[in-house]
Amino acid sequence: MESRTYIVGRSRSCDIQLSDATVSGRHAELIVMDDLIHLADLGSTNGTYVLTKEGFKSFRDGYVKSEQKFAFGHYVCSILQLMEMIRQGEQPTAQVS
């Protein structure tokens, strides 16, 4: 099984750079393994949250689905949106919820 790891954060050294003051320099780690996607918060200051039917809930680490929405600090997007930006070679712009 081949996997690829992406670091999500505000730092220029991140694979997925989010230009938002509420996003930590190294906020989260996204590991893509064929059809599986694992997301882990890297001890970020403002946290990572998953959108549920009851609203946003704190998220530390686990397997996720590409259509699920997450908040990295106040930056909200789906995993699929982040993956599309990587494929297109673009960096996301800030989206505040």
Side-chain angles (χ1 to χ4, degrees):
M1 180 185 294
E2 188 175 328
S3 69
R4 172 77 167 108
T5 300
Y6 301 95
I7 301 298
V8 179
R10 197 175 67 240
S11 172
R12 291 182 187 264
S13 66
C14 292
D15 302 297
I16 304 170
Q17 193 177 8
L18 305 179
S19 300
D20 184 293
T22 65
V23 175
S24 293
R26 289 174 50 88
H27 198 103
E29 177 183 72
L30 185 69
I31 302 173
V32 180
M33 302 166 283
D34 296 326
D35 293 334
L36 299 174
I37 303 169
H38 187 269
L39 179 67
D41 185 272
L42 295 175
S44 64
T45 301
N46 291 312
T48 300
Y49 300 87
V50 60
L51 181 60
T52 68
K53 292 178 184 178
E54 295 80 34
F56 282 101
K57 304 257 181 178
S58 183
F59 184 88
R60 287 187 163 241
D61 162 332
Y63 287 96
V64 299
K65 296 180 182 176
S66 60
E67 66 275 1
Q68 282 182 289
K69 287 205 175 205
F70 287 85
F72 303 94
H74 291 163
Y75 186 97
V76 178
C77 64
S78 69
I79 298 300
L80 183 60
Q81 287 171 310
L82 292 179
M83 297 306 297
E84 276 302 310
M85 291 174 194
I86 291 168
R87 286 185 194 106
Q88 294 173 6
E90 298 175 3
Q91 293 302 324
T93 56
Q95 295 179 359
V96 178
S97 60

Coordinates of all heavy atoms in Angstrom, one line a residue:
M1 N 0.9 -1.2 0.0 CA 0.0 0.0 0.0 C 0.9 1.2 0.0 O 1.7 1.4 0.9 CB -0.9 0.0 1.2 CG -1.8 1.2 1.3 SD -2.8 1.3 2.8 CE -3.9 -0.1 2.7
E2 N 0.7 2.1 -1.0 CA 1.5 3.3 -1.1 C 0.8 4.4 -0.4 O -0.5 4.5 -0.4 CB 1.7 3.7 -2.6 CG 2.6 4.8 -2.8 CD 2.8 5.1 -4.2 OE1 2.8 4.2 -5.0 OE2 3.0 6.3 -4.6
S3 N 1.5 5.3 0.3 CA 0.9 6.4 1.1 C 1.7 7.7 0.8 O 2.8 7.6 0.4 CB 0.8 6.1 2.6 OG 2.1 6.1 3.1
R4 N 1.0 8.8 1.0 CA 1.6 10.1 0.9 C 1.1 10.9 2.1 O 0.0 10.9 2.5 CB 1.1 10.7 -0.4 CG 1.5 12.2 -0.6 CD 3.0 12.3 -1.0 NE 3.2 13.7 -1.5 CZ 3.9 14.6 -0.8 NH1 4.4 14.3 0.4 NH2 4.0 15.8 -1.3
T5 N 2.1 11.6 2.7 CA 1.8 12.4 3.9 C 1.9 13.9 3.5 O 2.8 14.3 2.8 CB 2.8 12.1 5.0 OG1 2.7 10.7 5.4 CG2 2.5 12.9 6.2
Y6 N 0.9 14.6 3.9 CA 0.9 16.1 3.7 C 0.7 16.8 5.1 O -0.1 16.4 5.9 CB -0.4 16.5 2.9 CG -0.4 15.8 1.5 CD1 -1.2 14.6 1.3 CD2 0.2 16.4 0.4 CE1 -1.2 14.0 0.1 CE2 0.2 15.7 -0.8 CZ -0.5 14.6 -1.0 OH -0.6 14.0 -2.2
I7 N 1.5 17.8 5.2 CA 1.4 18.7 6.4 C 0.5 19.9 6.1 O 0.8 20.5 5.1 CB 2.8 19.1 7.0 CG1 3.6 17.9 7.3 CG2 2.6 20.0 8.2 CD1 3.1 17.0 8.4
V8 N -0.5 20.1 6.9 CA -1.4 21.3 6.7 C -1.0 22.3 7.7 O -0.9 22.0 8.9 CB -2.8 20.8 7.0 CG1 -3.8 22.0 6.8 CG2 -3.2 19.7 6.0
G9 N -0.9 23.6 7.3 CA -0.6 24.6 8.3 C -0.3 26.0 7.6 O -0.4 26.1 6.4
R10 N 0.0 26.9 8.4 CA 0.3 28.3 7.9 C 1.7 28.5 7.4 O 2.0 29.4 6.6 CB 0.0 29.3 9.0 CG -0.2 30.7 8.5 CD -0.6 31.6 9.7 NE 0.4 31.8 10.6 CZ 0.3 31.5 11.9 NH1 -0.8 31.0 12.4 NH2 1.4 31.6 12.7
S11 N 2.6 27.7 7.8 CA 4.0 27.8 7.4 C 4.2 27.6 5.9 O 3.6 26.7 5.3 CB 4.9 26.8 8.2 OG 6.2 26.8 7.7
R12 N 5.2 28.3 5.4 CA 5.5 28.1 4.0 C 6.1 26.7 3.6 O 6.0 26.3 2.5 CB 6.5 29.2 3.5 CG 5.9 30.6 3.5 CD 7.0 31.6 3.0 NE 6.5 32.9 3.1 CZ 5.9 33.6 2.1 NH1 5.7 33.0 0.9 NH2 5.5 34.8 2.2
S13 N 6.6 26.1 4.7 CA 7.1 24.7 4.5 C 6.1 23.6 4.4 O 6.4 22.5 4.1 CB 8.1 24.4 5.6 OG 7.5 24.3 6.8
C14 N 4.8 24.0 4.7 CA 3.7 23.0 4.6 C 3.3 22.6 3.2 O 3.4 23.4 2.3 CB 2.5 23.5 5.4 SG 2.8 23.6 7.2
D15 N 2.9 21.4 3.1 CA 2.4 20.9 1.7 C 1.1 21.6 1.4 O 0.9 21.8 0.2 CB 2.2 19.4 1.8 CG 3.5 18.6 2.2 OD1 4.4 18.7 1.4 OD2 3.5 18.0 3.2
I16 N 0.3 21.8 2.4 CA -1.0 22.5 2.2 C -1.0 23.7 3.1 O -1.1 23.6 4.3 CB -2.2 21.6 2.6 CG1 -2.2 20.3 1.8 CG2 -3.5 22.3 2.3 CD1 -3.2 19.3 2.3
Q17 N -0.7 24.9 2.4 CA -0.6 26.1 3.2 C -1.9 26.9 3.3 O -2.5 27.2 2.3 CB 0.5 27.0 2.5 CG 1.0 28.1 3.3 CD 2.1 28.9 2.6 OE1 2.4 28.6 1.5 NE2 2.7 29.8 3.3
L18 N -2.3 27.1 4.5 CA -3.6 27.9 4.7 C -3.2 29.2 5.3 O -2.7 29.3 6.4 CB -4.5 27.1 5.7 CG -4.8 25.6 5.4 CD1 -5.7 25.0 6.4 CD2 -5.5 25.6 4.0
S19 N -3.6 30.3 4.6 CA -3.3 31.6 5.0 C -4.4 32.2 5.9 O -5.2 32.9 5.4 CB -3.1 32.5 3.7 OG -2.1 32.0 2.9
D20 N -4.3 31.8 7.1 CA -5.3 32.2 8.1 C -4.6 32.3 9.4 O -3.9 31.3 9.8 CB -6.5 31.2 8.1 CG -7.6 31.6 9.1 OD1 -7.3 31.7 10.3 OD2 -8.7 31.9 8.6
A21 N -4.8 33.4 10.1 CA -4.1 33.6 11.4 C -4.5 32.6 12.5 O -3.7 32.4 13.4 CB -4.4 35.1 11.9
T22 N -5.6 32.0 12.4 CA -6.0 31.0 13.4 C -5.5 29.6 13.1 O -5.7 28.7 13.9 CB -7.6 30.9 13.5 OG1 -8.1 30.4 12.2 CG2 -8.2 32.3 13.8
V23 N -4.8 29.4 12.0 CA -4.1 28.1 11.7 C -2.7 28.1 12.2 O -2.0 29.1 12.0 CB -4.2 27.9 10.1 CG1 -3.4 26.7 9.7 CG2 -5.6 27.9 9.6
S24 N -2.3 27.1 12.9 CA -0.9 26.9 13.4 C 0.1 26.7 12.2 O -0.3 26.3 11.2 CB -0.8 25.8 14.4 OG -1.6 26.0 15.5
G25 N 1.3 27.0 12.5 CA 2.4 26.8 11.5 C 2.4 25.4 11.0 O 2.4 25.2 9.8
R26 N 2.3 24.4 11.8 CA 2.2 23.0 11.5 C 0.9 22.5 12.2 O 1.0 22.1 13.4 CB 3.4 22.2 11.8 CG 4.6 22.5 11.0 CD 5.8 21.8 11.5 NE 5.7 20.3 11.7 CZ 5.8 19.4 10.8 NH1 6.2 19.7 9.5 NH2 5.7 18.1 11.1
H27 N -0.2 22.6 11.6 CA -1.5 22.4 12.2 C -2.0 20.9 12.3 O -2.4 20.4 13.3 CB -2.6 23.2 11.5 CG -3.8 23.4 12.3 ND1 -4.1 24.6 12.9 CD2 -4.9 22.6 12.6 CE1 -5.2 24.5 13.6 NE2 -5.7 23.3 13.4
A28 N -1.9 20.2 11.1 CA -2.4 18.9 11.0 C -1.6 18.1 10.0 O -0.9 18.6 9.2 CB -3.9 18.9 10.7
E29 N -1.7 16.7 10.1 CA -1.1 15.8 9.2 C -2.2 15.0 8.5 O -3.1 14.5 9.1 CB -0.2 14.9 10.0 CG 0.5 13.8 9.1 CD 1.4 12.9 9.9 OE1 0.7 12.1 10.7 OE2 2.6 13.0 9.9
L30 N -2.1 15.0 7.2 CA -3.0 14.2 6.3 C -2.3 13.1 5.6 O -1.3 13.4 4.9 CB -3.6 15.2 5.3 CG -4.7 14.7 4.4 CD1 -6.0 14.5 5.2 CD2 -5.0 15.8 3.4
I31 N -2.7 11.9 5.9 CA -2.0 10.7 5.2 C -3.0 10.1 4.3 O -4.1 9.7 4.7 CB -1.5 9.7 6.3 CG1 -0.5 10.4 7.2 CG2 -0.8 8.5 5.5 CD1 -0.1 9.5 8.4
V32 N -2.7 10.0 3.0 CA -3.5 9.4 2.0 C -2.9 8.0 1.6 O -1.8 7.9 1.2 CB -3.7 10.3 0.8 CG1 -4.6 9.6 -0.3 CG2 -4.2 11.6 1.2
M33 N -3.7 6.9 1.9 CA -3.2 5.6 1.6 C -4.3 4.9 0.7 O -5.3 4.4 1.2 CB -3.1 4.8 2.9 CG -2.1 5.4 3.9 SD -2.3 4.6 5.5 CE -3.8 5.4 6.1
D34 N -4.0 4.9 -0.6 CA -5.0 4.4 -1.5 C -6.4 5.0 -1.3 O -6.6 6.2 -1.4 CB -5.0 2.9 -1.5 CG -3.7 2.3 -2.0 OD1 -3.1 2.9 -2.8 OD2 -3.3 1.2 -1.4
D35 N -7.4 4.2 -0.8 CA -8.7 4.7 -0.5 C -8.9 5.2 0.9 O -10.0 5.6 1.3 CB -9.8 3.6 -0.8 CG -9.8 3.3 -2.3 OD1 -9.4 4.2 -3.1 OD2 -10.2 2.2 -2.7
L36 N -7.9 5.1 1.7 CA -8.0 5.5 3.1 C -7.3 6.9 3.3 O -6.3 7.2 2.7 CB -7.4 4.5 4.1 CG -7.9 3.1 4.0 CD1 -7.1 2.2 4.9 CD2 -9.4 3.1 4.5
I37 N -8.0 7.7 4.2 CA -7.4 9.0 4.5 C -7.4 9.2 6.0 O -8.4 9.0 6.7 CB -8.2 10.2 3.9 CG1 -8.3 10.0 2.4 CG2 -7.6 11.5 4.3 CD1 -9.3 11.0 1.7
H38 N -6.2 9.5 6.6 CA -6.1 9.6 8.0 C -5.7 11.1 8.3 O -4.8 11.6 7.7 CB -5.0 8.7 8.6 CG -4.9 8.7 10.1 ND1 -4.1 9.5 10.7 CD2 -5.5 8.0 11.0 CE1 -4.2 9.3 12.0 NE2 -5.1 8.4 12.2
L39 N -6.3 11.7 9.3 CA -6.1 13.1 9.7 C -5.7 13.1 11.2 O -6.4 12.5 12.0 CB -7.3 14.0 9.4 CG -7.2 15.4 9.8 CD1 -6.2 16.1 8.9 CD2 -8.5 16.1 9.7
A40 N -4.7 13.9 11.5 CA -4.3 14.0 12.9 C -3.9 15.5 13.2 O -3.2 16.1 12.4 CB -3.1 13.1 13.2
D41 N -4.4 16.0 14.2 CA -4.1 17.3 14.7 C -2.6 17.2 15.3 O -2.3 16.3 16.0 CB -5.0 17.8 15.8 CG -4.7 19.3 16.2 OD1 -3.9 19.5 17.1 OD2 -5.3 20.2 15.6
L42 N -1.8 18.2 15.0 CA -0.4 18.2 15.5 C -0.2 19.0 16.7 O 0.9 19.6 16.9 CB 0.5 18.6 14.4 CG 0.6 17.7 13.1 CD1 1.5 18.3 12.1 CD2 1.0 16.3 13.5
G43 N -1.2 19.1 17.6 CA -1.1 19.9 18.8 C -1.3 21.4 18.5 O -0.7 22.2 19.2
S44 N -2.1 21.7 17.5 CA -2.4 23.1 17.1 C -2.9 23.9 18.2 O -3.6 23.4 19.1 CB -3.3 23.1 15.9 OG -4.6 22.6 16.3
T45 N -2.7 25.2 18.2 CA -3.2 26.1 19.2 C -4.7 26.3 19.2 O -5.3 26.2 20.2 CB -2.6 27.5 18.9 OG1 -1.1 27.4 19.0 CG2 -3.0 28.5 20.0
N46 N -5.3 26.4 18.0 CA -6.7 26.6 17.9 C -7.5 25.4 17.5 O -8.7 25.5 17.3 CB -7.0 27.7 16.9 CG -6.6 29.1 17.4 OD1 -6.8 29.4 18.6 ND2 -5.8 29.8 16.6
G47 N -6.9 24.2 17.4 CA -7.6 23.0 17.3 C -8.1 22.7 15.9 O -8.1 23.5 15.0
T48 N -8.5 21.4 15.7 CA -9.1 20.9 14.5 C -10.4 20.3 14.9 O -10.6 19.7 15.9 CB -8.2 19.7 13.9 OG1 -6.9 20.3 13.6 CG2 -8.8 19.2 12.6
Y49 N -11.4 20.6 14.0 CA -12.8 20.3 14.4 C -13.5 19.6 13.1 O -13.2 20.0 12.0 CB -13.6 21.5 14.8 CG -13.0 22.2 16.0 CD1 -12.0 23.1 15.9 CD2 -13.5 21.9 17.2 CE1 -11.5 23.7 17.0 CE2 -12.9 22.4 18.4 CZ -11.9 23.4 18.2 OH -11.4 23.9 19.4
V50 N -14.3 18.6 13.4 CA -15.0 18.0 12.3 C -16.5 18.4 12.4 O -17.0 18.6 13.5 CB -14.9 16.4 12.4 CG1 -15.5 15.9 13.8 CG2 -15.6 15.7 11.3
L51 N -17.1 18.7 11.3 CA -18.5 19.1 11.2 C -19.4 17.8 11.4 O -19.3 16.9 10.6 CB -18.8 19.8 9.9 CG -20.3 20.3 9.8 CD1 -20.6 21.3 10.9 CD2 -20.5 21.0 8.4
T52 N -20.3 17.8 12.4 CA -21.2 16.7 12.6 C -22.6 17.3 12.5 O -22.8 18.5 12.3 CB -21.1 16.1 14.0 OG1 -21.5 17.1 14.9 CG2 -19.6 15.7 14.2
K53 N -23.6 16.5 12.6 CA -25.0 17.0 12.6 C -25.3 17.9 13.7 O -26.1 18.8 13.6 CB -26.0 15.8 12.6 CG -26.0 14.9 11.4 CD -26.9 13.7 11.6 CE -26.8 12.8 10.3 NZ -27.6 11.6 10.5
E54 N -24.6 17.8 14.8 CA -24.7 18.7 15.9 C -23.8 19.9 15.9 O -23.8 20.7 16.8 CB -24.5 17.9 17.2 CG -25.4 16.7 17.5 CD -25.1 15.5 16.7 OE1 -23.9 15.2 16.5 OE2 -26.1 14.8 16.3
G55 N -23.1 20.1 14.9 CA -22.1 21.2 14.8 C -20.7 20.7 14.8 O -20.4 19.5 14.7
F56 N -19.8 21.6 14.9 CA -18.3 21.3 15.0 C -18.0 20.6 16.3 O -18.3 21.1 17.3 CB -17.5 22.5 14.7 CG -17.4 22.9 13.2 CD1 -18.2 23.9 12.7 CD2 -16.6 22.2 12.4 CE1 -18.1 24.2 11.4 CE2 -16.5 22.5 11.0 CZ -17.3 23.5 10.5
K57 N -17.2 19.5 16.2 CA -16.7 18.8 17.4 C -15.2 18.7 17.3 O -14.7 18.5 16.2 CB -17.3 17.4 17.5 CG -18.8 17.4 17.5 CD -19.4 17.2 18.8 CE -20.9 17.2 18.7 NZ -21.6 16.9 19.8
S58 N -14.5 18.8 18.4 CA -13.1 18.6 18.5 C -12.7 17.3 17.9 O -13.3 16.3 18.1 CB -12.6 18.7 19.9 OG -11.2 18.7 20.0
F59 N -11.6 17.4 17.1 CA -11.1 16.2 16.4 C -9.6 16.1 16.6 O -8.8 17.1 16.4 CB -11.4 16.3 14.9 CG -11.0 15.1 14.1 CD1 -11.8 14.0 13.9 CD2 -9.7 15.0 13.5 CE1 -11.5 12.9 13.2 CE2 -9.3 13.9 12.8 CZ -10.2 12.9 12.6
R60 N -9.1 15.0 17.1 CA -7.7 14.8 17.3 C -7.0 13.9 16.2 O -5.9 14.3 15.7 CB -7.4 14.1 18.7 CG -7.7 15.0 19.8 CD -7.2 14.4 21.1 NE -7.1 15.4 22.1 CZ -6.0 15.7 22.7 NH1 -4.9 15.0 22.5 NH2 -5.9 16.6 23.6
D61 N -7.6 12.8 15.9 CA -6.9 11.8 15.1 C -7.9 10.7 14.6 O -8.7 10.3 15.5 CB -5.8 11.4 15.9 CG -5.1 10.1 15.6 OD1 -5.7 9.2 15.0 OD2 -3.9 10.0 15.9
G62 N -7.8 10.3 13.4 CA -8.7 9.2 12.9 C -8.8 9.2 11.4 O -8.3 10.1 10.7
Y63 N -9.5 8.1 11.0 CA -9.7 8.0 9.5 C -10.9 8.9 9.2 O -11.9 9.0 9.9 CB -10.0 6.5 9.2 CG -8.7 5.8 9.2 CD1 -8.3 5.0 10.3 CD2 -7.8 5.8 8.1 CE1 -7.1 4.3 10.4 CE2 -6.6 5.1 8.1 CZ -6.3 4.4 9.3 OH -5.1 3.7 9.3
V64 N -10.9 9.5 8.0 CA -11.9 10.5 7.6 C -12.3 10.1 6.2 O -11.7 9.4 5.5 CB -11.4 11.9 7.7 CG1 -11.0 12.3 9.1 CG2 -10.2 12.2 6.7
K65 N -13.4 10.8 5.8 CA -14.0 10.6 4.4 C -13.7 11.9 3.7 O -13.7 13.0 4.3 CB -15.5 10.3 4.5 CG -15.8 9.0 5.1 CD -17.3 8.8 5.1 CE -17.5 7.4 5.8 NZ -19.0 7.2 5.9
S66 N -13.5 11.8 2.4 CA -13.1 13.0 1.6 C -14.1 14.1 1.6 O -13.8 15.3 1.5 CB -12.7 12.6 0.2 OG -13.9 12.0 -0.4
E67 N -15.4 13.7 1.8 CA -16.5 14.8 1.7 C -16.7 15.4 3.1 O -17.4 16.4 3.2 CB -17.8 14.2 1.2 CG -18.4 13.1 2.1 CD -17.9 11.7 1.9 OE1 -17.0 11.5 1.1 OE2 -18.4 10.8 2.7
Q68 N -16.1 14.9 4.2 CA -16.3 15.5 5.5 C -15.6 16.9 5.6 O -14.6 17.2 5.0 CB -15.6 14.6 6.6 CG -16.4 13.4 6.9 CD -15.7 12.7 8.0 OE1 -14.7 12.0 7.8 NE2 -16.3 12.7 9.2
K69 N -16.3 17.8 6.3 CA -15.8 19.2 6.5 C -15.1 19.3 7.8 O -15.6 18.7 8.8 CB -17.0 20.2 6.4 CG -17.5 20.4 5.0 CD -18.1 21.7 4.8 CE -18.4 21.8 3.4 NZ -18.5 23.2 2.9
F70 N -14.0 20.0 7.8 CA -13.2 20.2 9.0 C -12.9 21.7 9.1 O -12.9 22.5 8.1 CB -11.9 19.5 8.8 CG -12.0 18.0 9.0 CD1 -12.4 17.2 8.0 CD2 -11.9 17.4 10.3 CE1 -12.6 15.8 8.1 CE2 -12.1 16.1 10.4 CZ -12.4 15.3 9.4
A71 N -12.6 22.1 10.3 CA -12.1 23.5 10.6 C -10.7 23.3 11.2 O -10.5 22.6 12.1 CB -13.1 24.2 11.6
F72 N -9.8 24.0 10.5 CA -8.5 24.1 11.0 C -8.4 25.5 11.6 O -8.3 26.5 10.8 CB -7.4 23.9 9.9 CG -7.6 22.6 9.2 CD1 -8.4 22.5 8.1 CD2 -7.0 21.4 9.7 CE1 -8.6 21.2 7.4 CE2 -7.2 20.2 9.1 CZ -8.0 20.1 7.9
G73 N -8.5 25.7 12.9 CA -8.7 27.0 13.5 C -10.1 27.4 13.0 O -11.1 26.8 13.2
H74 N -10.1 28.6 12.3 CA -11.4 29.1 11.7 C -11.5 28.8 10.2 O -12.5 29.1 9.6 CB -11.5 30.6 11.9 CG -11.7 30.9 13.3 ND1 -11.6 32.2 13.8 CD2 -12.1 30.2 14.4 CE1 -11.8 32.2 15.1 NE2 -12.1 31.0 15.5
Y75 N -10.5 28.1 9.6 CA -10.5 27.8 8.2 C -11.3 26.5 8.0 O -10.9 25.5 8.5 CB -9.1 27.6 7.7 CG -9.0 27.4 6.2 CD1 -8.7 28.5 5.4 CD2 -9.2 26.2 5.6 CE1 -8.7 28.3 4.0 CE2 -9.2 26.0 4.2 CZ -8.9 27.1 3.4 OH -8.9 26.9 2.1
V76 N -12.4 26.6 7.2 CA -13.3 25.5 7.0 C -13.2 25.0 5.6 O -13.3 25.8 4.6 CB -14.8 25.9 7.4 CG1 -15.7 24.7 7.1 CG2 -14.9 26.4 8.8
C77 N -13.1 23.7 5.4 CA -13.1 23.1 4.1 C -13.2 21.6 4.2 O -13.1 21.0 5.3 CB -11.8 23.4 3.3 SG -10.3 22.7 4.1
S78 N -13.5 20.9 3.1 CA -13.6 19.5 3.1 C -12.2 18.9 2.8 O -11.3 19.6 2.2 CB -14.6 19.0 2.0 OG -14.1 19.2 0.7
I79 N -12.0 17.7 3.1 CA -10.7 17.0 2.7 C -10.6 17.0 1.2 O -9.5 17.2 0.7 CB -10.7 15.6 3.3 CG1 -10.7 15.6 4.9 CG2 -9.4 14.8 2.8 CD1 -9.6 16.4 5.5
L80 N -11.7 16.7 0.5 CA -11.7 16.7 -0.9 C -11.2 18.0 -1.5 O -10.4 18.0 -2.5 CB -13.1 16.4 -1.5 CG -13.2 16.2 -3.0 CD1 -12.3 15.1 -3.5 CD2 -14.6 15.9 -3.4
Q81 N -11.6 19.1 -0.9 CA -11.2 20.4 -1.4 C -9.7 20.6 -1.3 O -9.0 21.1 -2.2 CB -11.9 21.6 -0.7 CG -13.3 21.7 -1.1 CD -14.1 22.7 -0.2 OE1 -14.1 22.6 1.0 NE2 -14.8 23.6 -0.8
L82 N -9.1 20.2 -0.1 CA -7.7 20.2 0.1 C -6.9 19.3 -0.9 O -5.9 19.8 -1.5 CB -7.3 19.8 1.5 CG -7.7 20.7 2.6 CD1 -7.3 20.1 4.0 CD2 -7.2 22.1 2.5
M83 N -7.5 18.1 -1.2 CA -6.8 17.2 -2.1 C -6.9 17.8 -3.5 O -5.9 17.6 -4.3 CB -7.5 15.8 -2.0 CG -7.3 15.1 -0.7 SD -5.6 15.0 -0.1 CE -4.9 14.0 -1.4
E84 N -8.0 18.4 -3.9 CA -8.1 19.0 -5.2 C -7.1 20.1 -5.4 O -6.5 20.3 -6.5 CB -9.5 19.5 -5.5 CG -10.4 18.5 -6.0 CD -10.0 17.8 -7.3 OE1 -9.6 18.5 -8.3 OE2 -10.0 16.6 -7.3
M85 N -6.9 20.9 -4.4 CA -5.9 22.0 -4.5 C -4.5 21.5 -4.6 O -3.7 22.0 -5.3 CB -6.0 22.9 -3.2 CG -7.3 23.7 -3.2 SD -7.5 24.5 -1.6 CE -9.2 25.0 -1.7
I86 N -4.2 20.4 -4.0 CA -2.9 19.7 -4.1 C -2.7 19.2 -5.5 O -1.7 19.5 -6.2 CB -2.7 18.5 -3.1 CG1 -2.6 19.1 -1.7 CG2 -1.5 17.7 -3.5 CD1 -2.8 18.0 -0.7
R87 N -3.7 18.6 -6.1 CA -3.6 18.1 -7.4 C -3.4 19.2 -8.5 O -2.8 19.0 -9.5 CB -4.9 17.3 -7.8 CG -4.9 15.9 -7.1 CD -6.1 15.1 -7.6 NE -6.3 14.0 -6.7 CZ -7.3 13.9 -5.8 NH1 -8.2 14.8 -5.7 NH2 -7.4 12.8 -5.0
Q88 N -4.1 20.3 -8.2 CA -4.0 21.4 -9.1 C -2.8 22.3 -8.9 O -2.5 23.3 -9.6 CB -5.2 22.3 -9.1 CG -6.5 21.5 -9.5 CD -7.8 22.3 -9.3 OE1 -7.7 23.5 -8.9 NE2 -8.9 21.7 -9.5
G89 N -2.0 22.0 -7.8 CA -0.8 22.8 -7.5 C -1.2 24.2 -7.0 O -0.3 25.1 -7.0
E90 N -2.4 24.3 -6.4 CA -2.8 25.6 -5.9 C -2.7 25.6 -4.4 O -2.8 24.5 -3.8 CB -4.2 26.0 -6.3 CG -4.4 26.1 -7.8 CD -5.9 26.3 -8.1 OE1 -6.7 26.3 -7.2 OE2 -6.2 26.3 -9.3
Q91 N -2.6 26.8 -3.8 CA -2.7 26.9 -2.3 C -4.1 27.5 -2.0 O -4.5 28.5 -2.6 CB -1.6 27.7 -1.7 CG -0.2 27.0 -1.9 CD -0.2 25.7 -1.2 OE1 -0.8 25.5 -0.2 NE2 0.5 24.7 -1.8
P92 N -4.8 27.0 -1.0 CA -6.1 27.6 -0.6 C -6.0 29.0 -0.1 O -5.0 29.3 0.5 CB -6.6 26.6 0.4 CG -5.4 25.8 0.9 CD -4.4 25.9 -0.2
T93 N -7.0 29.7 -0.3 CA -7.1 31.0 0.3 C -8.0 30.9 1.6 O -8.8 30.0 1.7 CB -7.7 32.1 -0.6 OG1 -9.0 31.6 -1.1 CG2 -6.8 32.3 -1.8
A94 N -7.9 31.9 2.5 CA -8.7 31.8 3.7 C -10.2 31.8 3.5 O -10.7 32.5 2.7 CB -8.3 33.0 4.6
Q95 N -10.8 31.0 4.3 CA -12.3 30.9 4.3 C -12.7 30.9 5.8 O -12.3 29.9 6.5 CB -12.8 29.6 3.7 CG -12.5 29.5 2.2 CD -13.0 28.2 1.7 OE1 -13.6 27.4 2.4 NE2 -12.9 28.0 0.4
V96 N -13.3 31.9 6.3 CA -13.6 32.0 7.7 C -15.1 31.6 7.8 O -16.0 32.1 7.1 CB -13.4 33.4 8.2 CG1 -13.8 33.5 9.7 CG2 -11.9 33.7 8.1
S97 N -15.4 30.7 8.8 CA -16.8 30.3 9.1 C -17.5 31.4 9.9 O -16.9 32.2 10.6 CB -16.8 29.0 9.8 OG -16.1 29.1 11.0

